[in-house]
Amino acid sequence: MPAAVDFTVLIPARLASSRLPNEPLADIAGLPMVVRVARQAALSGAARVVVAADSTAILDACAAHGVQALLTREDHPSGSDRLAEACAALQLADGAIVVNVQGDEPLIDPALVGAVARLLQAHPEASMS
């Protein structure tokens, strides 16, 4: 059995997507997509799963389903920039292991998320996943 790793999953969620507006709130079998993603990520063994959202509508949807979320600026050019703001807001240590799980992956394999965390632990020179 692989060794336990202390890691955080951050999920960037942008309401104003140009490809699919309101994508994080898309209904998938009765739940918003971003909630499904967070629930899958939580099965990975992460110490914490947080949605980094650009809209209070996403925060509200997450709160309604017990998913931790925080509000980030709307003007980030990328999900990585959104996650950098979230890391600062959560006061994560410089060496903290953070796995970026995309908000449009409701079927992501939790074992894959855990494997990425273990790889980051084994390769501290890697700056992101």
mmCIF file of all heavy atoms in Angstrom, residues 30-71:
data_model
loop_
_atom_site.group_PDB
_atom_site.id
_atom_site.type_symbol
_atom_site.label_atom_id
_atom_site.label_comp_id
_atom_site.label_asym_id
_atom_site.label_seq_id
_atom_site.Cartn_x
_atom_site.Cartn_y
_atom_site.Cartn_z
ATOM 1 N N GLY A 30 -28.318 15.537 -11.180
ATOM 2 C CA GLY A 30 -28.846 16.225 -10.008
ATOM 3 C C GLY A 30 -27.852 17.011 -9.176
ATOM 4 O O GLY A 30 -28.241 17.617 -8.181
ATOM 5 N N LEU A 31 -26.581 17.022 -9.570
ATOM 6 C CA LEU A 31 -25.568 17.794 -8.835
ATOM 7 C C LEU A 31 -24.777 18.660 -9.803
ATOM 8 O O LEU A 31 -24.528 18.254 -10.943
ATOM 9 C CB LEU A 31 -24.590 16.867 -8.114
ATOM 10 C CG LEU A 31 -25.108 16.090 -6.915
ATOM 11 C CD1 LEU A 31 -24.035 15.127 -6.418
ATOM 12 C CD2 LEU A 31 -25.532 17.035 -5.807
ATOM 13 N N PRO A 32 -24.346 19.839 -9.338
ATOM 14 C CA PRO A 32 -23.487 20.662 -10.181
ATOM 15 C C PRO A 32 -22.172 19.933 -10.480
ATOM 16 O O PRO A 32 -21.638 19.213 -9.622
ATOM 17 C CB PRO A 32 -23.226 21.906 -9.335
ATOM 18 C CG PRO A 32 -24.313 21.933 -8.322
ATOM 19 C CD PRO A 32 -24.664 20.496 -8.076
ATOM 20 N N MET A 33 -21.659 20.103 -11.689
ATOM 21 C CA MET A 33 -20.435 19.414 -12.089
ATOM 22 C C MET A 33 -19.304 19.634 -11.099
ATOM 23 O O MET A 33 -18.603 18.698 -10.723
ATOM 24 C CB MET A 33 -19.973 19.869 -13.478
ATOM 25 C CG MET A 33 -18.742 19.101 -13.922
ATOM 26 S SD MET A 33 -17.987 19.549 -15.507
ATOM 27 C CE MET A 33 -19.306 19.995 -16.525
ATOM 28 N N VAL A 34 -19.113 20.870 -10.635
ATOM 29 C CA VAL A 34 -18.008 21.163 -9.730
ATOM 30 C C VAL A 34 -18.138 20.391 -8.413
ATOM 31 O O VAL A 34 -17.137 19.986 -7.818
ATOM 32 C CB VAL A 34 -17.850 22.686 -9.505
ATOM 33 C CG1 VAL A 34 -18.983 23.257 -8.653
ATOM 34 C CG2 VAL A 34 -16.500 23.013 -8.920
ATOM 35 N N VAL A 35 -19.348 20.140 -7.971
ATOM 36 C CA VAL A 35 -19.578 19.344 -6.760
ATOM 37 C C VAL A 35 -19.182 17.893 -7.020
ATOM 38 O O VAL A 35 -18.530 17.255 -6.182
ATOM 39 C CB VAL A 35 -21.037 19.460 -6.288
ATOM 40 C CG1 VAL A 35 -21.353 18.449 -5.185
ATOM 41 C CG2 VAL A 35 -21.322 20.885 -5.812
ATOM 42 N N ARG A 36 -19.548 17.368 -8.180
ATOM 43 C CA ARG A 36 -19.150 15.996 -8.537
ATOM 44 C C ARG A 36 -17.630 15.862 -8.571
ATOM 45 O O ARG A 36 -17.064 14.886 -8.092
ATOM 46 C CB ARG A 36 -19.735 15.597 -9.882
ATOM 47 C CG ARG A 36 -21.239 15.454 -9.820
ATOM 48 C CD ARG A 36 -21.670 14.129 -10.388
ATOM 49 N NE ARG A 36 -23.106 13.997 -10.218
ATOM 50 C CZ ARG A 36 -23.664 13.169 -9.355
ATOM 51 N NH1 ARG A 36 -22.924 12.410 -8.594
ATOM 52 N NH2 ARG A 36 -24.978 13.099 -9.252
ATOM 53 N N VAL A 37 -16.952 16.867 -9.151
ATOM 54 C CA VAL A 37 -15.487 16.850 -9.207
ATOM 55 C C VAL A 37 -14.909 16.849 -7.793
ATOM 56 O O VAL A 37 -14.019 16.062 -7.475
ATOM 57 C CB VAL A 37 -14.950 18.050 -10.017
ATOM 58 C CG1 VAL A 37 -13.432 18.120 -9.938
ATOM 59 C CG2 VAL A 37 -15.405 17.982 -11.464
ATOM 60 N N ALA A 38 -15.417 17.717 -6.936
ATOM 61 C CA ALA A 38 -14.912 17.810 -5.561
ATOM 62 C C ALA A 38 -15.139 16.506 -4.801
ATOM 63 O O ALA A 38 -14.270 16.067 -4.036
ATOM 64 C CB ALA A 38 -15.572 18.979 -4.832
ATOM 65 N N ARG A 39 -16.267 15.873 -5.008
ATOM 66 C CA ARG A 39 -16.546 14.603 -4.323
ATOM 67 C C ARG A 39 -15.584 13.508 -4.794
ATOM 68 O O ARG A 39 -15.121 12.702 -3.988
ATOM 69 C CB ARG A 39 -17.997 14.188 -4.537
ATOM 70 C CG ARG A 39 -18.951 15.039 -3.714
ATOM 71 C CD ARG A 39 -20.372 14.585 -3.855
ATOM 72 N NE ARG A 39 -21.244 15.348 -2.963
ATOM 73 C CZ ARG A 39 -22.543 15.153 -2.870
ATOM 74 N NH1 ARG A 39 -23.134 14.221 -3.603
ATOM 75 N NH2 ARG A 39 -23.270 15.884 -2.050
ATOM 76 N N GLN A 40 -15.293 13.467 -6.079
ATOM 77 C CA GLN A 40 -14.321 12.490 -6.588
ATOM 78 C C GLN A 40 -12.946 12.774 -5.999
ATOM 79 O O GLN A 40 -12.250 11.866 -5.566
ATOM 80 C CB GLN A 40 -14.255 12.531 -8.118
ATOM 81 C CG GLN A 40 -15.422 11.878 -8.817
ATOM 82 C CD GLN A 40 -15.495 10.391 -8.556
ATOM 83 O OE1 GLN A 40 -16.340 9.937 -7.775
ATOM 84 N NE2 GLN A 40 -14.633 9.626 -9.185
ATOM 85 N N ALA A 41 -12.560 14.045 -5.978
ATOM 86 C CA ALA A 41 -11.251 14.429 -5.448
ATOM 87 C C ALA A 41 -11.136 14.070 -3.969
ATOM 88 O O ALA A 41 -10.069 13.651 -3.506
ATOM 89 C CB ALA A 41 -11.010 15.917 -5.654
ATOM 90 N N ALA A 42 -12.230 14.199 -3.232
ATOM 91 C CA ALA A 42 -12.206 13.886 -1.798
ATOM 92 C C ALA A 42 -11.931 12.404 -1.546
ATOM 93 O O ALA A 42 -11.388 12.048 -0.496
ATOM 94 C CB ALA A 42 -13.531 14.298 -1.155
ATOM 95 N N LEU A 43 -12.246 11.562 -2.498
ATOM 96 C CA LEU A 43 -12.005 10.120 -2.363
ATOM 97 C C LEU A 43 -10.528 9.760 -2.555
ATOM 98 O O LEU A 43 -10.139 8.618 -2.357
ATOM 99 C CB LEU A 43 -12.858 9.344 -3.373
ATOM 100 C CG LEU A 43 -14.376 9.459 -3.191
ATOM 101 C CD1 LEU A 43 -15.093 8.777 -4.358
ATOM 102 C CD2 LEU A 43 -14.811 8.875 -1.861
ATOM 103 N N SER A 44 -9.712 10.744 -2.908
ATOM 104 C CA SER A 44 -8.291 10.520 -3.200
ATOM 105 C C SER A 44 -7.424 10.403 -1.954
ATOM 106 O O SER A 44 -6.259 10.040 -2.055
ATOM 107 C CB SER A 44 -7.763 11.658 -4.058
ATOM 108 O OG SER A 44 -7.691 12.856 -3.283
ATOM 109 N N GLY A 45 -7.968 10.766 -0.807
ATOM 110 C CA GLY A 45 -7.171 10.794 0.412
ATOM 111 C C GLY A 45 -6.610 12.162 0.718
ATOM 112 O O GLY A 45 -5.821 12.318 1.653
ATOM 113 N N ALA A 46 -7.004 13.159 -0.036
ATOM 114 C CA ALA A 46 -6.551 14.526 0.206
ATOM 115 C C ALA A 46 -6.972 14.982 1.599
ATOM 116 O O ALA A 46 -8.064 14.650 2.071
ATOM 117 C CB ALA A 46 -7.141 15.484 -0.838
ATOM 118 N N ALA A 47 -6.100 15.749 2.239
ATOM 119 C CA ALA A 47 -6.422 16.312 3.543
ATOM 120 C C ALA A 47 -7.505 17.379 3.407
ATOM 121 O O ALA A 47 -8.298 17.596 4.328
ATOM 122 C CB ALA A 47 -5.167 16.916 4.173
ATOM 123 N N ARG A 48 -7.534 18.006 2.223
ATOM 124 C CA ARG A 48 -8.447 19.113 2.014
ATOM 125 C C ARG A 48 -8.736 19.241 0.523
ATOM 126 O O ARG A 48 -7.838 19.096 -0.305
ATOM 127 C CB ARG A 48 -7.760 20.372 2.516
ATOM 128 C CG ARG A 48 -8.541 21.612 2.561
ATOM 129 C CD ARG A 48 -7.614 22.681 3.130
ATOM 130 N NE ARG A 48 -8.346 23.794 3.655
ATOM 131 C CZ ARG A 48 -7.788 24.845 4.214
ATOM 132 N NH1 ARG A 48 -6.479 24.892 4.336
ATOM 133 N NH2 ARG A 48 -8.494 25.824 4.660
ATOM 134 N N VAL A 49 -9.994 19.519 0.189
ATOM 135 C CA VAL A 49 -10.407 19.784 -1.186
ATOM 136 C C VAL A 49 -11.115 21.130 -1.182
ATOM 137 O O VAL A 49 -12.065 21.329 -0.410
ATOM 138 C CB VAL A 49 -11.358 18.689 -1.726
ATOM 139 C CG1 VAL A 49 -11.872 19.051 -3.114
ATOM 140 C CG2 VAL A 49 -10.660 17.331 -1.728
ATOM 141 N N VAL A 50 -10.638 22.044 -2.026
ATOM 142 C CA VAL A 50 -11.199 23.392 -2.058
ATOM 143 C C VAL A 50 -11.428 23.814 -3.507
ATOM 144 O O VAL A 50 -10.532 23.676 -4.343
ATOM 145 C CB VAL A 50 -10.257 24.414 -1.373
ATOM 146 C CG1 VAL A 50 -10.881 25.817 -1.378
ATOM 147 C CG2 VAL A 50 -9.932 23.985 0.051
ATOM 148 N N VAL A 51 -12.606 24.336 -3.779
ATOM 149 C CA VAL A 51 -12.908 24.916 -5.088
ATOM 150 C C VAL A 51 -12.505 26.383 -5.042
ATOM 151 O O VAL A 51 -12.875 27.108 -4.117
ATOM 152 C CB VAL A 51 -14.407 24.765 -5.421
ATOM 153 C CG1 VAL A 51 -14.763 25.523 -6.692
ATOM 154 C CG2 VAL A 51 -14.782 23.290 -5.532
ATOM 155 N N ALA A 52 -11.743 26.813 -6.035
ATOM 156 C CA ALA A 52 -11.338 28.218 -6.170
ATOM 157 C C ALA A 52 -12.180 28.810 -7.291
ATOM 158 O O ALA A 52 -11.952 28.535 -8.469
ATOM 159 C CB ALA A 52 -9.854 28.317 -6.492
ATOM 160 N N ALA A 53 -13.182 29.584 -6.922
ATOM 161 C CA ALA A 53 -14.198 30.030 -7.868
ATOM 162 C C ALA A 53 -14.171 31.531 -8.105
ATOM 163 O O ALA A 53 -13.799 32.299 -7.223
ATOM 164 C CB ALA A 53 -15.573 29.627 -7.347
ATOM 165 N N ASP A 54 -14.657 31.910 -9.281
ATOM 166 C CA ASP A 54 -14.714 33.324 -9.629
ATOM 167 C C ASP A 54 -16.104 33.921 -9.444
ATOM 168 O O ASP A 54 -16.344 35.050 -9.829
ATOM 169 C CB ASP A 54 -14.247 33.538 -11.073
ATOM 170 C CG ASP A 54 -15.243 33.025 -12.109
ATOM 171 O OD1 ASP A 54 -16.160 32.253 -11.741
ATOM 172 O OD2 ASP A 54 -15.096 33.384 -13.289
ATOM 173 N N SER A 55 -17.029 33.153 -8.863
ATOM 174 C CA SER A 55 -18.417 33.594 -8.776
ATOM 175 C C SER A 55 -19.078 33.130 -7.480
ATOM 176 O O SER A 55 -18.861 31.992 -7.041
ATOM 177 C CB SER A 55 -19.193 33.018 -9.966
ATOM 178 O OG SER A 55 -20.579 33.075 -9.756
ATOM 179 N N THR A 56 -19.896 33.993 -6.923
ATOM 180 C CA THR A 56 -20.638 33.602 -5.722
ATOM 181 C C THR A 56 -21.664 32.514 -6.036
ATOM 182 O O THR A 56 -22.039 31.754 -5.147
ATOM 183 C CB THR A 56 -21.327 34.809 -5.054
ATOM 184 O OG1 THR A 56 -22.194 35.441 -6.009
ATOM 185 C CG2 THR A 56 -20.302 35.806 -4.539
ATOM 186 N N ALA A 57 -22.109 32.412 -7.293
ATOM 187 C CA ALA A 57 -23.043 31.337 -7.659
ATOM 188 C C ALA A 57 -22.375 29.971 -7.458
ATOM 189 O O ALA A 57 -23.014 29.019 -6.991
ATOM 190 C CB ALA A 57 -23.511 31.503 -9.098
ATOM 191 N N ILE A 58 -21.085 29.874 -7.785
ATOM 192 C CA ILE A 58 -20.355 28.623 -7.577
ATOM 193 C C ILE A 58 -20.167 28.381 -6.085
ATOM 194 O O ILE A 58 -20.344 27.262 -5.601
ATOM 195 C CB ILE A 58 -19.004 28.643 -8.317
ATOM 196 C CG1 ILE A 58 -19.230 28.750 -9.823
ATOM 197 C CG2 ILE A 58 -18.189 27.396 -7.974
ATOM 198 C CD1 ILE A 58 -17.958 29.000 -10.623
ATOM 199 N N LEU A 59 -19.836 29.440 -5.343
ATOM 200 C CA LEU A 59 -19.690 29.304 -3.885
ATOM 201 C C LEU A 59 -20.982 28.786 -3.265
ATOM 202 O O LEU A 59 -20.956 27.896 -2.406
ATOM 203 C CB LEU A 59 -19.314 30.635 -3.244
ATOM 204 C CG LEU A 59 -17.964 31.244 -3.567
ATOM 205 C CD1 LEU A 59 -17.766 32.533 -2.776
ATOM 206 C CD2 LEU A 59 -16.837 30.285 -3.302
ATOM 207 N N ASP A 60 -22.099 29.344 -3.697
ATOM 208 C CA ASP A 60 -23.393 28.945 -3.155
ATOM 209 C C ASP A 60 -23.698 27.479 -3.464
ATOM 210 O O ASP A 60 -24.182 26.732 -2.602
ATOM 211 C CB ASP A 60 -24.511 29.834 -3.702
ATOM 212 C CG ASP A 60 -24.429 31.270 -3.208
ATOM 213 O OD1 ASP A 60 -23.703 31.536 -2.216
ATOM 214 O OD2 ASP A 60 -25.076 32.136 -3.822
ATOM 215 N N ALA A 61 -23.410 27.056 -4.703
ATOM 216 C CA ALA A 61 -23.652 25.659 -5.082
ATOM 217 C C ALA A 61 -22.776 24.724 -4.255
ATOM 218 O O ALA A 61 -23.241 23.678 -3.798
ATOM 219 C CB ALA A 61 -23.382 25.474 -6.578
ATOM 220 N N CYS A 62 -21.539 25.103 -4.050
ATOM 221 C CA CYS A 62 -20.637 24.279 -3.248
ATOM 222 C C CYS A 62 -21.127 24.204 -1.800
ATOM 223 O O CYS A 62 -21.195 23.122 -1.214
ATOM 224 C CB CYS A 62 -19.212 24.829 -3.305
ATOM 225 S SG CYS A 62 -18.403 24.550 -4.902
ATOM 226 N N ALA A 63 -21.468 25.348 -1.240
ATOM 227 C CA ALA A 63 -21.935 25.388 0.150
ATOM 228 C C ALA A 63 -23.188 24.536 0.337
ATOM 229 O O ALA A 63 -23.327 23.850 1.358
ATOM 230 C CB ALA A 63 -22.214 26.830 0.570
ATOM 231 N N ALA A 64 -24.069 24.533 -0.638
ATOM 232 C CA ALA A 64 -25.308 23.755 -0.551
ATOM 233 C C ALA A 64 -25.039 22.252 -0.485
ATOM 234 O O ALA A 64 -25.900 21.489 -0.044
ATOM 235 C CB ALA A 64 -26.213 24.074 -1.736
ATOM 236 N N HIS A 65 -23.838 21.852 -0.907
ATOM 237 C CA HIS A 65 -23.497 20.429 -0.932
ATOM 238 C C HIS A 65 -22.298 20.095 -0.044
ATOM 239 O O HIS A 65 -21.690 19.034 -0.188
ATOM 240 C CB HIS A 65 -23.247 19.981 -2.369
ATOM 241 C CG HIS A 65 -24.447 20.126 -3.238
ATOM 242 N ND1 HIS A 65 -25.519 19.261 -3.176
ATOM 243 C CD2 HIS A 65 -24.786 21.068 -4.145
ATOM 244 C CE1 HIS A 65 -26.449 19.652 -4.022
ATOM 245 N NE2 HIS A 65 -26.029 20.739 -4.625
ATOM 246 N N GLY A 66 -21.957 21.015 0.870
ATOM 247 C CA GLY A 66 -20.900 20.744 1.837
ATOM 248 C C GLY A 66 -19.492 20.742 1.275
ATOM 249 O O GLY A 66 -18.601 20.122 1.851
ATOM 250 N N VAL A 67 -19.285 21.435 0.173
ATOM 251 C CA VAL A 67 -17.962 21.512 -0.454
ATOM 252 C C VAL A 67 -17.335 22.857 -0.105
ATOM 253 O O VAL A 67 -17.968 23.899 -0.281
ATOM 254 C CB VAL A 67 -18.066 21.356 -1.988
ATOM 255 C CG1 VAL A 67 -16.729 21.604 -2.659
ATOM 256 C CG2 VAL A 67 -18.604 19.973 -2.339
ATOM 257 N N GLN A 68 -16.102 22.831 0.385
ATOM 258 C CA GLN A 68 -15.405 24.078 0.721
ATOM 259 C C GLN A 68 -15.039 24.815 -0.565
ATOM 260 O O GLN A 68 -14.548 24.218 -1.522
ATOM 261 C CB GLN A 68 -14.144 23.801 1.530
ATOM 262 C CG GLN A 68 -13.441 25.078 1.970
ATOM 263 C CD GLN A 68 -12.173 24.816 2.776
ATOM 264 O OE1 GLN A 68 -11.809 23.676 3.053
ATOM 265 N NE2 GLN A 68 -11.503 25.884 3.152
ATOM 266 N N ALA A 69 -15.276 26.110 -0.583
ATOM 267 C CA ALA A 69 -14.944 26.936 -1.747
ATOM 268 C C ALA A 69 -14.537 28.318 -1.273
ATOM 269 O O ALA A 69 -14.943 28.768 -0.202
ATOM 270 C CB ALA A 69 -16.140 27.027 -2.691
ATOM 271 N N LEU A 70 -13.714 28.966 -2.085
ATOM 272 C CA LEU A 70 -13.346 30.348 -1.786
ATOM 273 C C LEU A 70 -13.427 31.165 -3.057
ATOM 274 O O LEU A 70 -13.273 30.645 -4.164
ATOM 275 C CB LEU A 70 -11.962 30.441 -1.145
ATOM 276 C CG LEU A 70 -10.753 29.930 -1.904
ATOM 277 C CD1 LEU A 70 -10.203 30.995 -2.835
ATOM 278 C CD2 LEU A 70 -9.679 29.542 -0.912
ATOM 279 N N LEU A 71 -13.703 32.448 -2.882
ATOM 280 C CA LEU A 71 -13.874 33.360 -4.001
ATOM 281 C C LEU A 71 -12.526 33.930 -4.419
ATOM 282 O O LEU A 71 -11.748 34.395 -3.584
ATOM 283 C CB LEU A 71 -14.828 34.496 -3.612
ATOM 284 C CG LEU A 71 -15.252 35.434 -4.736
ATOM 285 C CD1 LEU A 71 -16.036 34.674 -5.810
ATOM 286 C CD2 LEU A 71 -16.109 36.565 -4.163
#
